[in-house]
Amino acid sequence: MKKMVIKGTGRYLPERIVTNDDLTKFMDTSDEWIQQRTGIEERRWVSEEGNIGASDLGLEASKIALSRAGWVPEDLDLIIFGTLSPDLFFPGSGCLLQSKLGLKSTPAIDIRQQCTGFLYGMEIADAYIKSGHASRILLVGAEVHSTGLEMATRGRDVTVIFGDGAGAVCLEGVETDENVGLLAASLHAQGDYAEALMVEAPASRLNPRITHEMIDDGRVWPKMDGRNVFKLAVKRLPEVSQVVLDKAGLTLDDIDMVIPHQANLRINQFFQKSMNLPDEKIYNNIQKYGNTTAGSIPIALDEVIEKKLIPKEKGTILFAGLGAGVTWGAMIFRFM
Ligand code: UT7
């Protein structure tokens, strides 16, 4: 039976480092508040010049993943692009990335799953591989948040947490009887919470989609009911992680590393505590990058591999995340 294996990973973070102190120039906040409430010390934002979009960051991460897989873009059967900050309202960033890779007809899908974009992307890729519809897939999670954040005290709860960045993985279907690949997944959505984290305008449901008044009222900036999202995350992340462990017939002893979405270090500390995980079995990098949404898990995965924190063969990872939608989920992946 065909199993999905990871052939290469890559990440790209813009060079511009924005510290918590830098943010105090635009809004009433402090390094102390941000570190205490979120764990974030600094984040990367794209350069203010140059009109850099999610597909540009995705391209840099993809080039690294492709070269590590030993693939050229023409080897790809499919591109899956996860982002909530697409370059354009439409068409999707996957199409833009496809063009930047020099491809002329390779299919490209955008998925709008926010913080669980990588998790949904992995399950979609696995289904394509198992059904025989594709055998070499590039999955990218990339965000440029910084151009869409309110640089004022009104937006401080959201602005201080988000960072720009991209991660990419090359996935291949391989015929093997070994228990490798995507061992279990459990993905969910509950649109009742759509307004707990959203950008309201411009939008098709508004007529007109955008007005000067909407801009003045700040409806173009992300709004979040942070406490509610926090509560959902600390409850659902351990629950859904246990579901995938049970589905795979594994215990935490079989897991080499847990890579959670990087939304808030405190969420991940609660999660770690409820799962009774030792420090060396959970990976966090939010301190350096903030919340890069669809980019966060593949960026962390690339670092975990680079730092050799999991065995090269049969390394087993549990991924988990919750974010806007709300969407949430977990999955267990084992390397070949
Ligand atoms: O990845 C997408 C999913 N998102 C998440 O998982 C995020 C989940 N939520 C969170 O991470 C946290 O709720 C936040 C970090 C966003 C906020 O932390 P909190 O501990 O929940 O703070 P809060 O919203 O309850 O606000 C506490 C106080 C408020 O002041 P008052 O009303 O107590 O006077 C806020 O106005 O902190 C104030 N505040 C700030 N102060 C300084 C909010 N943001 C800031 C700020 N700097 N940046």
Side-chain angles (χ1 to χ4, degrees):
M1 187 184 178
K2 278 216 164 160
K3 305 283 171 62
M4 180 172 80
V5 302
I6 292 179
K7 300 293 284 187
T9 61
R11 68 179 187 277
Y12 180 76
L13 283 310
E15 280 170 21
R16 179 180 160 213
I17 296 173
V18 177
T19 65
N20 295 338
D21 281 335
D22 292 335
L23 296 177
T24 64
K25 291 174 205 144
F26 310 106
M27 61 196 75
D28 180 12
T29 189
S30 65
D31 178 48
E32 191 193 1
W33 190 97
I34 300 171
Q35 288 214 40
Q36 263 180 15
R37 303 281 178 138
T38 71
I40 299 167
E41 294 161 22
E42 59 189 39
R43 73 283 296 136
R44 303 295 183 94
W45 283 358
V46 294
S47 142
E48 283 168 301
E49 292 106 45
N51 294 332
I52 297 159
S55 70
D56 296 303
L57 305 192
L59 175 66
E60 297 308 319
S62 299
K63 282 190 211 159
I64 298 168
L66 285 164
S67 96
R68 292 200 181 130
W71 294 358
V72 292
E74 288 71 19
D75 290 327
L76 296 171
D77 301 321
L78 177 68
I79 295 168
I80 306 175
F81 200 111
T83 187
L84 68 67
S85 52
D87 302 56
L88 299 167
F89 203 87
F90 75 87
S93 293
C95 294
L96 303 185
L97 174 64
Q98 189 249 32
S99 164
K100 286 171 187 171
L101 286 169
L103 297 169
K104 298 294 174 211
S105 68
T106 310
I109 316 173
D110 268 39
I111 52 169
R112 296 283 307 275
Q113 302 318 115
Q114 299 68 247
C115 306
T116 55
F118 180 77
L119 304 183
Y120 271 77
M122 286 285 277
E123 191 163 63
I124 294 168
D126 192 56
Y128 263 85
I129 283 169
K130 292 213 168 106
S131 66
H133 283 93
S135 116
R136 287 182 162 185
I137 300 174
L138 174 67
L139 169 62
V140 180
E143 306 287 356
V144 174
H145 284 301
S146 57
T147 51
L149 297 171
E150 187 171 24
M151 299 296 164
T153 299
R154 182 171 64 177
R156 64 182 176 177
D157 56 329
V158 173
T159 301
V160 301
I161 67 179
F162 286 111
D164 302 339
V169 290
C170 290
L171 301 162
E172 186 168 36
V174 170
E175 201 67 51
T176 172
D177 292 332
E178 289 183 66
N179 191 24
V180 294
L182 193 58
L183 303 189
S186 180
L187 300 180
H188 306 272
Q190 190 176 1
D192 303 336
Y193 288 102
E195 300 199 352
L197 178 48
M198 66 165 177
V199 174
E200 202 198 342
S204 61
R205 70 179 184 180
L206 299 173
N207 193 1
R209 290 182 178 188
I210 189 79
T211 61
H212 289 293
E213 204 183 2
M214 287 179 209
I215 296 172
D216 293 343
D217 291 346
R219 291 165 72 188
V220 293
W221 308 117
K223 295 282 174 313
M224 177 166 68
D225 177 358
R227 282 186 203 186
N228 215 353
V229 178
F230 194 105
K231 278 192 219 150
L232 287 173
V234 296
K235 183 168 179 295
R236 291 184 178 177
L237 292 177
E239 274 173 10
V240 75
S241 299
Q242 193 55 53
V243 168
V244 290
L245 284 167
D246 293 345
K247 264 193 176 182
L250 301 179
T251 70
L252 279 175
D253 289 343
D254 303 307
I255 303 295
D256 297 301
M257 186 62 74
V258 174
I259 301 184
H261 168 52
Q262 305 290 307
N264 183 323
L265 190 61
R266 278 168 58 227
I267 293 179
N268 291 352
Q269 287 165 343
F270 274 104
F271 174 44
Q272 177 180 358
K273 214 167 155 211
S274 4
M275 299 292 291
N276 212 3
L277 276 170
D279 288 348
E280 63 278 9
K281 270 204 184 185
I282 183 163
Y283 190 76
N284 288 304
N285 60 11
I286 189 170
Q287 300 90 331
K288 291 183 293 175
Y289 305 140
N291 177 348
T292 57
T293 310
S296 92
I297 294 180
I299 290 170
L301 171 64
D302 188 51
E303 290 191 345
V304 162
I305 293 171
E306 189 175 274
K307 292 180 181 175
K308 300 189 171 46
L309 298 179
I310 53 162
K312 205 161 182 242
E313 281 177 23
K314 306 280 186 301
T316 306
I317 298 183
L318 189 154
F319 299 109
L322 178 139
V326 291
T327 62
W328 73 102
M331 62 182 39
I332 298 174
F333 183 87
R334 181 171 286 160
F335 283 80
M336 193 139 124

Short mmCIF file of all heavy atoms in Angstrom, two decimals, residues 102-157:
data_model
loop_
_atom_site.label_atom_id
_atom_site.label_comp_id
_atom_site.label_asym_id
_atom_site.label_seq_id
_atom_site.Cartn_x
_atom_site.Cartn_y
_atom_site.Cartn_z
N GLY A 102 8.12 28.37 -12.11
CA GLY A 102 8.35 28.18 -13.54
C GLY A 102 7.48 27.09 -14.14
O GLY A 102 7.79 26.57 -15.22
N LEU A 103 6.38 26.73 -13.45
CA LEU A 103 5.53 25.64 -13.95
C LEU A 103 4.39 26.21 -14.79
O LEU A 103 3.94 27.34 -14.58
CB LEU A 103 4.99 24.83 -12.77
CG LEU A 103 6.08 24.13 -11.95
CD1 LEU A 103 5.51 23.57 -10.65
CD2 LEU A 103 6.75 23.04 -12.77
N LYS A 104 3.90 25.39 -15.71
CA LYS A 104 2.88 25.89 -16.64
C LYS A 104 1.51 25.24 -16.48
O LYS A 104 0.51 25.79 -16.93
CB LYS A 104 3.36 25.67 -18.10
CG LYS A 104 4.64 26.41 -18.45
CD LYS A 104 4.44 27.93 -18.43
CE LYS A 104 5.77 28.65 -18.62
NZ LYS A 104 5.81 29.94 -17.94
N SER A 105 1.43 24.03 -15.89
CA SER A 105 0.10 23.42 -15.81
C SER A 105 -0.12 22.56 -14.56
O SER A 105 -1.17 21.94 -14.42
CB SER A 105 -0.18 22.59 -17.07
OG SER A 105 0.67 21.46 -17.07
N THR A 106 0.86 22.52 -13.67
CA THR A 106 0.73 21.71 -12.45
C THR A 106 -0.44 22.25 -11.61
O THR A 106 -0.51 23.45 -11.36
CB THR A 106 2.03 21.82 -11.62
OG1 THR A 106 3.12 21.56 -12.50
CG2 THR A 106 2.05 20.85 -10.47
N PRO A 107 -1.36 21.38 -11.17
CA PRO A 107 -2.48 21.89 -10.38
C PRO A 107 -2.03 22.48 -9.03
O PRO A 107 -1.04 22.02 -8.45
CB PRO A 107 -3.37 20.66 -10.16
CG PRO A 107 -2.54 19.49 -10.49
CD PRO A 107 -1.44 19.93 -11.40
N ALA A 108 -2.77 23.50 -8.60
CA ALA A 108 -2.42 24.18 -7.34
C ALA A 108 -3.71 24.49 -6.60
O ALA A 108 -4.63 25.07 -7.16
CB ALA A 108 -1.66 25.47 -7.65
N ILE A 109 -3.74 24.07 -5.33
CA ILE A 109 -4.94 24.31 -4.50
C ILE A 109 -4.55 25.24 -3.36
O ILE A 109 -3.55 25.00 -2.68
CB ILE A 109 -5.42 23.02 -3.80
CG1 ILE A 109 -5.42 21.82 -4.72
CG2 ILE A 109 -6.77 23.21 -3.14
CD1 ILE A 109 -5.74 20.52 -3.97
N ASP A 110 -5.39 26.23 -3.07
CA ASP A 110 -5.23 27.00 -1.82
C ASP A 110 -6.18 26.43 -0.79
O ASP A 110 -7.33 26.10 -1.12
CB ASP A 110 -5.63 28.46 -2.03
CG ASP A 110 -4.44 29.32 -2.41
OD1 ASP A 110 -3.60 28.83 -3.19
OD2 ASP A 110 -4.37 30.47 -1.96
N ILE A 111 -5.73 26.32 0.44
CA ILE A 111 -6.66 25.92 1.50
C ILE A 111 -6.68 27.01 2.56
O ILE A 111 -5.66 27.60 2.89
CB ILE A 111 -6.37 24.53 2.10
CG1 ILE A 111 -4.92 24.39 2.53
CG2 ILE A 111 -6.73 23.45 1.11
CD1 ILE A 111 -4.68 23.13 3.34
N ARG A 112 -7.89 27.27 3.09
CA ARG A 112 -8.10 28.40 4.00
C ARG A 112 -8.37 27.86 5.39
O ARG A 112 -9.44 28.07 5.94
CB ARG A 112 -9.29 29.21 3.50
CG ARG A 112 -9.09 29.87 2.14
CD ARG A 112 -8.22 31.10 2.31
NE ARG A 112 -8.76 31.98 3.34
CZ ARG A 112 -9.69 32.89 3.13
NH1 ARG A 112 -10.18 33.09 1.95
NH2 ARG A 112 -10.13 33.63 4.14
N GLN A 113 -7.42 27.13 5.94
CA GLN A 113 -7.67 26.52 7.25
C GLN A 113 -6.90 27.20 8.37
O GLN A 113 -6.81 26.67 9.48
CB GLN A 113 -7.33 25.02 7.21
CG GLN A 113 -8.09 24.24 6.17
CD GLN A 113 -9.54 24.60 6.07
OE1 GLN A 113 -10.00 25.11 5.07
NE2 GLN A 113 -10.28 24.37 7.15
N GLN A 114 -6.31 28.35 8.06
CA GLN A 114 -5.64 29.15 9.08
C GLN A 114 -4.58 28.33 9.84
O GLN A 114 -3.75 27.70 9.24
CB GLN A 114 -6.66 29.80 10.03
CG GLN A 114 -7.63 30.75 9.35
CD GLN A 114 -8.61 30.10 8.40
OE1 GLN A 114 -8.52 30.35 7.20
NE2 GLN A 114 -9.54 29.30 8.89
N CYS A 115 -4.69 28.29 11.17
CA CYS A 115 -3.62 27.67 11.97
C CYS A 115 -3.50 26.17 11.76
O CYS A 115 -2.50 25.56 12.11
CB CYS A 115 -3.85 27.95 13.45
SG CYS A 115 -4.03 29.70 13.75
N THR A 116 -4.55 25.54 11.21
CA THR A 116 -4.46 24.10 10.95
C THR A 116 -4.23 23.83 9.46
O THR A 116 -4.45 22.71 8.99
CB THR A 116 -5.73 23.37 11.43
OG1 THR A 116 -6.86 23.99 10.79
CG2 THR A 116 -5.90 23.42 12.93
N GLY A 117 -3.80 24.84 8.72
CA GLY A 117 -3.57 24.67 7.28
C GLY A 117 -2.62 23.52 6.97
O GLY A 117 -2.85 22.73 6.05
N PHE A 118 -1.56 23.41 7.75
CA PHE A 118 -0.61 22.33 7.49
C PHE A 118 -1.24 20.97 7.78
O PHE A 118 -1.06 20.01 7.03
CB PHE A 118 0.66 22.52 8.34
CG PHE A 118 1.68 21.44 8.14
CD1 PHE A 118 2.48 21.42 7.01
CD2 PHE A 118 1.84 20.42 9.07
CE1 PHE A 118 3.43 20.41 6.80
CE2 PHE A 118 2.77 19.41 8.88
CZ PHE A 118 3.57 19.41 7.74
N LEU A 119 -2.02 20.90 8.86
CA LEU A 119 -2.64 19.61 9.22
C LEU A 119 -3.65 19.18 8.14
O LEU A 119 -3.64 18.03 7.68
CB LEU A 119 -3.34 19.70 10.58
CG LEU A 119 -2.47 20.14 11.77
CD1 LEU A 119 -3.29 20.10 13.05
CD2 LEU A 119 -1.26 19.24 11.91
N TYR A 120 -4.51 20.10 7.75
CA TYR A 120 -5.47 19.79 6.68
C TYR A 120 -4.72 19.44 5.38
O TYR A 120 -5.10 18.53 4.66
CB TYR A 120 -6.43 20.96 6.44
CG TYR A 120 -7.68 20.96 7.29
CD1 TYR A 120 -7.66 21.34 8.62
CD2 TYR A 120 -8.91 20.58 6.75
CE1 TYR A 120 -8.81 21.36 9.40
CE2 TYR A 120 -10.07 20.59 7.52
CZ TYR A 120 -10.02 20.98 8.85
OH TYR A 120 -11.17 21.00 9.60
N GLY A 121 -3.67 20.19 5.10
CA GLY A 121 -2.89 19.95 3.88
C GLY A 121 -2.29 18.56 3.87
O GLY A 121 -2.27 17.86 2.84
N MET A 122 -1.80 18.12 5.02
CA MET A 122 -1.21 16.76 5.11
C MET A 122 -2.27 15.71 4.83
O MET A 122 -2.02 14.73 4.12
CB MET A 122 -0.63 16.53 6.51
CG MET A 122 0.65 17.27 6.78
SD MET A 122 2.09 16.54 5.97
CE MET A 122 2.50 15.23 7.13
N GLU A 123 -3.48 15.92 5.38
CA GLU A 123 -4.51 14.89 5.17
C GLU A 123 -4.98 14.88 3.71
O GLU A 123 -5.22 13.82 3.13
CB GLU A 123 -5.69 15.07 6.12
CG GLU A 123 -6.60 13.84 6.05
CD GLU A 123 -7.55 13.70 7.22
OE1 GLU A 123 -8.39 14.58 7.37
OE2 GLU A 123 -7.48 12.67 7.93
N ILE A 124 -5.08 16.06 3.12
CA ILE A 124 -5.46 16.13 1.70
C ILE A 124 -4.39 15.44 0.84
O ILE A 124 -4.69 14.64 -0.05
CB ILE A 124 -5.66 17.59 1.25
CG1 ILE A 124 -6.87 18.19 1.97
CG2 ILE A 124 -5.83 17.69 -0.27
CD1 ILE A 124 -7.00 19.71 1.84
N ALA A 125 -3.13 15.74 1.13
CA ALA A 125 -2.02 15.14 0.37
C ALA A 125 -2.06 13.61 0.50
O ALA A 125 -1.89 12.88 -0.49
CB ALA A 125 -0.69 15.69 0.87
N ASP A 126 -2.29 13.15 1.72
CA ASP A 126 -2.35 11.70 1.96
C ASP A 126 -3.47 11.06 1.14
O ASP A 126 -3.29 9.98 0.55
CB ASP A 126 -2.57 11.46 3.46
CG ASP A 126 -2.34 10.02 3.86
OD1 ASP A 126 -1.25 9.51 3.60
OD2 ASP A 126 -3.27 9.40 4.44
N ALA A 127 -4.62 11.75 1.08
CA ALA A 127 -5.76 11.21 0.32
C ALA A 127 -5.43 11.18 -1.19
O ALA A 127 -5.76 10.21 -1.88
CB ALA A 127 -7.00 12.06 0.57
N TYR A 128 -4.78 12.21 -1.69
CA TYR A 128 -4.36 12.23 -3.10
C TYR A 128 -3.41 11.07 -3.39
O TYR A 128 -3.51 10.40 -4.41
CB TYR A 128 -3.66 13.55 -3.43
CG TYR A 128 -4.56 14.58 -4.08
CD1 TYR A 128 -5.36 15.41 -3.31
CD2 TYR A 128 -4.61 14.73 -5.46
CE1 TYR A 128 -6.19 16.35 -3.88
CE2 TYR A 128 -5.43 15.68 -6.05
CZ TYR A 128 -6.23 16.48 -5.26
OH TYR A 128 -7.04 17.41 -5.84
N ILE A 129 -2.48 10.85 -2.46
CA ILE A 129 -1.49 9.80 -2.66
C ILE A 129 -2.15 8.42 -2.61
O ILE A 129 -1.95 7.58 -3.48
CB ILE A 129 -0.34 9.95 -1.63
CG1 ILE A 129 0.57 11.10 -2.07
CG2 ILE A 129 0.44 8.65 -1.48
CD1 ILE A 129 1.58 11.55 -1.05
N LYS A 130 -2.97 8.20 -1.59
CA LYS A 130 -3.60 6.87 -1.42
C LYS A 130 -4.57 6.56 -2.56
O LYS A 130 -4.74 5.40 -2.95
CB LYS A 130 -4.32 6.80 -0.08
CG LYS A 130 -3.32 6.83 1.08
CD LYS A 130 -3.79 6.02 2.26
CE LYS A 130 -2.67 5.82 3.26
NZ LYS A 130 -2.82 6.64 4.45
N SER A 131 -5.21 7.61 -3.11
CA SER A 131 -6.16 7.36 -4.21
C SER A 131 -5.45 7.25 -5.56
O SER A 131 -6.09 7.00 -6.58
CB SER A 131 -7.18 8.51 -4.29
OG SER A 131 -6.51 9.70 -4.65
N GLY A 132 -4.14 7.50 -5.56
CA GLY A 132 -3.38 7.40 -6.82
C GLY A 132 -3.50 8.64 -7.69
O GLY A 132 -3.04 8.65 -8.84
N HIS A 133 -4.08 9.72 -7.17
CA HIS A 133 -4.24 10.93 -7.98
C HIS A 133 -2.98 11.78 -8.06
O HIS A 133 -2.86 12.66 -8.90
CB HIS A 133 -5.40 11.77 -7.46
CG HIS A 133 -6.73 11.21 -7.86
ND1 HIS A 133 -7.44 10.35 -7.07
CD2 HIS A 133 -7.45 11.35 -8.99
CE1 HIS A 133 -8.55 10.00 -7.69
NE2 HIS A 133 -8.58 10.58 -8.86
N ALA A 134 -2.06 11.57 -7.15
CA ALA A 134 -0.79 12.31 -7.20
C ALA A 134 0.25 11.50 -6.46
O ALA A 134 -0.08 10.72 -5.57
CB ALA A 134 -0.94 13.67 -6.52
N SER A 135 1.49 11.67 -6.87
CA SER A 135 2.51 10.95 -6.12
C SER A 135 3.61 11.85 -5.57
O SER A 135 4.26 11.51 -4.59
CB SER A 135 2.98 9.79 -6.97
OG SER A 135 4.23 9.87 -7.32
N ARG A 136 3.76 13.05 -6.14
CA ARG A 136 4.75 13.99 -5.58
C ARG A 136 4.06 15.34 -5.34
O ARG A 136 3.61 16.00 -6.30
CB ARG A 136 5.93 14.15 -6.52
CG ARG A 136 6.81 12.92 -6.51
CD ARG A 136 8.00 13.07 -7.40
NE ARG A 136 9.02 12.10 -7.05
CZ ARG A 136 10.22 12.06 -7.60
NH1 ARG A 136 10.57 12.94 -8.52
NH2 ARG A 136 11.08 11.14 -7.23
N ILE A 137 4.00 15.71 -4.08
CA ILE A 137 3.21 16.89 -3.70
C ILE A 137 4.07 17.87 -2.91
O ILE A 137 4.85 17.46 -2.04
CB ILE A 137 1.98 16.46 -2.84
CG1 ILE A 137 1.10 15.49 -3.64
CG2 ILE A 137 1.17 17.67 -2.37
CD1 ILE A 137 -0.05 14.88 -2.85
N LEU A 138 3.91 19.14 -3.22
CA LEU A 138 4.54 20.21 -2.43
C LEU A 138 3.47 20.85 -1.56
O LEU A 138 2.47 21.37 -2.08
CB LEU A 138 5.14 21.26 -3.38
CG LEU A 138 5.72 22.52 -2.72
CD1 LEU A 138 6.96 22.20 -1.88
CD2 LEU A 138 6.07 23.56 -3.80
N LEU A 139 3.66 20.78 -0.24
CA LEU A 139 2.72 21.40 0.70
C LEU A 139 3.41 22.58 1.37
O LEU A 139 4.50 22.43 1.94
CB LEU A 139 2.29 20.36 1.76
CG LEU A 139 1.51 20.89 2.96
CD1 LEU A 139 0.18 21.53 2.55
CD2 LEU A 139 1.24 19.75 3.96
N VAL A 140 2.77 23.74 1.27
CA VAL A 140 3.37 24.98 1.79
C VAL A 140 2.41 25.63 2.78
O VAL A 140 1.20 25.65 2.56
CB VAL A 140 3.62 25.97 0.61
CG1 VAL A 140 4.24 27.27 1.11
CG2 VAL A 140 4.50 25.33 -0.45
N GLY A 141 2.95 26.16 3.86
CA GLY A 141 2.17 27.02 4.76
C GLY A 141 2.92 28.33 4.86
O GLY A 141 4.10 28.34 5.23
N ALA A 142 2.27 29.44 4.49
CA ALA A 142 3.00 30.71 4.44
C ALA A 142 2.08 31.87 4.80
O ALA A 142 0.92 31.88 4.41
CB ALA A 142 3.59 30.94 3.05
N GLU A 143 2.63 32.83 5.51
CA GLU A 143 1.83 34.00 5.90
C GLU A 143 2.66 35.27 5.85
O GLU A 143 3.81 35.29 6.30
CB GLU A 143 1.34 33.87 7.36
CG GLU A 143 0.58 32.62 7.71
CD GLU A 143 -0.84 32.53 7.14
OE1 GLU A 143 -1.31 33.50 6.50
OE2 GLU A 143 -1.46 31.47 7.33
N VAL A 144 2.03 36.32 5.32
CA VAL A 144 2.53 37.68 5.55
C VAL A 144 1.43 38.38 6.35
O VAL A 144 0.44 38.85 5.79
CB VAL A 144 2.83 38.43 4.23
CG1 VAL A 144 3.19 39.89 4.53
CG2 VAL A 144 3.97 37.75 3.48
N HIS A 145 1.58 38.37 7.65
CA HIS A 145 0.60 39.03 8.52
C HIS A 145 0.87 40.53 8.65
O HIS A 145 -0.05 41.31 8.83
CB HIS A 145 0.70 38.45 9.95
CG HIS A 145 0.07 37.10 10.10
ND1 HIS A 145 -1.25 36.87 9.83
CD2 HIS A 145 0.58 35.92 10.54
CE1 HIS A 145 -1.53 35.60 10.09
NE2 HIS A 145 -0.44 35.01 10.51
N SER A 146 2.16 40.88 8.60
CA SER A 146 2.56 42.21 9.08
C SER A 146 1.91 43.35 8.31
O SER A 146 1.68 44.42 8.87
CB SER A 146 4.08 42.35 9.04
OG SER A 146 4.55 42.12 7.73
N THR A 147 1.58 43.13 7.03
CA THR A 147 0.96 44.20 6.25
C THR A 147 -0.52 44.33 6.57
O THR A 147 -1.18 45.25 6.07
CB THR A 147 1.15 43.94 4.74
OG1 THR A 147 0.72 42.60 4.45
CG2 THR A 147 2.60 44.09 4.32
N GLY A 148 -1.06 43.42 7.39
CA GLY A 148 -2.50 43.45 7.71
C GLY A 148 -2.77 43.58 9.19
O GLY A 148 -3.80 43.08 9.65
N LEU A 149 -1.86 44.19 9.93
CA LEU A 149 -2.05 44.34 11.37
C LEU A 149 -2.21 45.81 11.72
O LEU A 149 -1.57 46.68 11.11
CB LEU A 149 -0.83 43.77 12.12
CG LEU A 149 -0.59 42.27 11.94
CD1 LEU A 149 0.76 41.88 12.54
CD2 LEU A 149 -1.71 41.44 12.56
N GLU A 150 -3.05 46.08 12.70
CA GLU A 150 -3.29 47.47 13.08
C GLU A 150 -2.15 47.96 13.98
O GLU A 150 -1.94 47.43 15.08
CB GLU A 150 -4.63 47.58 13.82
CG GLU A 150 -5.00 49.03 14.10
CD GLU A 150 -6.42 49.20 14.62
OE1 GLU A 150 -6.98 48.25 15.19
OE2 GLU A 150 -6.96 50.31 14.45
N MET A 151 -1.43 48.95 13.51
CA MET A 151 -0.28 49.46 14.27
C MET A 151 -0.73 50.56 15.22
O MET A 151 -0.35 51.73 15.09
CB MET A 151 0.80 49.99 13.30
CG MET A 151 1.34 48.96 12.36
SD MET A 151 2.21 47.65 13.23
CE MET A 151 2.27 46.41 11.94
N ALA A 152 -1.61 50.19 16.14
CA ALA A 152 -2.15 51.16 17.10
C ALA A 152 -2.62 50.38 18.32
O ALA A 152 -2.86 49.17 18.25
CB ALA A 152 -3.32 51.90 16.47
N THR A 153 -2.82 51.09 19.42
CA THR A 153 -3.21 50.43 20.68
C THR A 153 -4.50 49.63 20.52
O THR A 153 -4.64 48.56 21.11
CB THR A 153 -3.32 51.49 21.80
OG1 THR A 153 -2.03 52.09 21.94
CG2 THR A 153 -3.73 50.88 23.12
N ARG A 154 -5.43 50.12 19.69
CA ARG A 154 -6.70 49.40 19.49
C ARG A 154 -6.47 47.93 19.07
O ARG A 154 -7.22 47.04 19.46
CB ARG A 154 -7.53 50.13 18.43
CG ARG A 154 -8.89 49.52 18.16
CD ARG A 154 -9.74 50.39 17.27
NE ARG A 154 -9.17 50.56 15.92
CZ ARG A 154 -9.75 51.24 14.94
NH1 ARG A 154 -10.90 51.83 15.14
NH2 ARG A 154 -9.18 51.34 13.75
N GLY A 155 -5.43 47.69 18.27
CA GLY A 155 -5.22 46.32 17.75
C GLY A 155 -4.13 45.56 18.47
O GLY A 155 -3.70 44.49 18.03
N ARG A 156 -3.70 46.06 19.65
CA ARG A 156 -2.47 45.52 20.25
C ARG A 156 -2.55 44.04 20.64
O ARG A 156 -1.56 43.32 20.58
CB ARG A 156 -2.05 46.34 21.46
CG ARG A 156 -3.06 46.31 22.61
CD ARG A 156 -2.62 47.18 23.76
NE ARG A 156 -3.66 47.19 24.79
CZ ARG A 156 -3.55 47.81 25.94
NH1 ARG A 156 -2.45 48.48 26.23
NH2 ARG A 156 -4.53 47.75 26.83
N ASP A 157 -3.75 43.57 21.06
CA ASP A 157 -3.85 42.17 21.50
C ASP A 157 -3.51 41.22 20.35
O ASP A 157 -2.91 40.16 20.57
CB ASP A 157 -5.25 41.86 22.05
CG ASP A 157 -6.36 42.17 21.07
OD1 ASP A 157 -6.19 43.12 20.26
OD2 ASP A 157 -7.39 41.48 21.09
#
